[in-house]
Amino acid sequence: QVRLVESGGGLVQAGGSLRLSCAASGRTFSTYAMGWFRQAPGKEREFVGAITMSGANTYYADSVKGRFTISRDNAKNTVYLQMNSLKPEDTAVYYCATTYRTIPTARPGDYANWGQGTQVTVSS
């Protein structure tokens, strides 16, 4: 079992930036591909992006491509989500999660361990 803790959320104006962190417990962090998801009130959980175990490959939802960047530091057991040019529609609770799949997918059901989430609010 991997414990995930997200941080870095907050209130930001449209056009601003935030960097989310997801710290993982345990020694097996580098064996997991990682995903970021978000969920706005009244909406289903939505894929944001993912990164492979080594960090060599990243994948993004069309809605964030070119604005968000995922990276990871396996020595620190941490994955990051850099969010630039934020829009009010990016407002949501953001979650990180682990998957055993070598190539991470956009399906929440493929992810086993989830953090508690961190709130991101973008004002217009």
Side-chain angles (χ1 to χ4, degrees):
Q1 189 81 6
V2 176
R3 182 169 178 262
L4 304 173
V5 179
E6 301 95 337
S7 62
L11 173 64
V12 64
Q13 288 189 330
S17 298
L18 281 175
R19 188 175 83 153
L20 306 185
S21 298
C22 171
S25 65
R27 300 180 180 178
T28 60
F29 176 74
S30 61
T31 66
Y32 294 105
M34 299 292 297
W36 283 97
F37 291 78
R38 65 187 182 186
Q39 189 165 19
K43 294 188 176 181
E44 292 187 352
R45 194 162 294 191
E46 174 189 26
F47 174 75
V48 173
I51 188 167
T52 53
M53 290 183 286
S54 67
N57 297 98
T58 53
Y59 309 87
Y60 299 96
D62 287 343
S63 59
V64 306
K65 202 171 292 182
R67 300 188 298 123
F68 290 11
T69 302
I70 298 174
S71 61
R72 67 190 295 165
D73 185 338
N74 286 341
K76 295 183 178 180
N77 281 11
T78 302
V79 62
Y80 304 97
L81 179 64
Q82 177 67 45
M83 306 185 295
N84 299 328
S85 302
L86 282 161
K87 304 175 181 180
E89 50 264 44
D90 294 319
T91 295
V93 177
Y94 283 71
Y95 301 88
C96 63
T98 66
T99 178
Y100 279 109
R101 291 187 176 271
T102 301
I103 299 177
T105 71
R107 296 185 296 267
D110 287 343
Y111 292 77
N113 300 297
W114 293 81
Q116 83 291 347
T118 185
Q119 176 71 48
V120 171
T121 303
V122 184
S123 63
S124 57

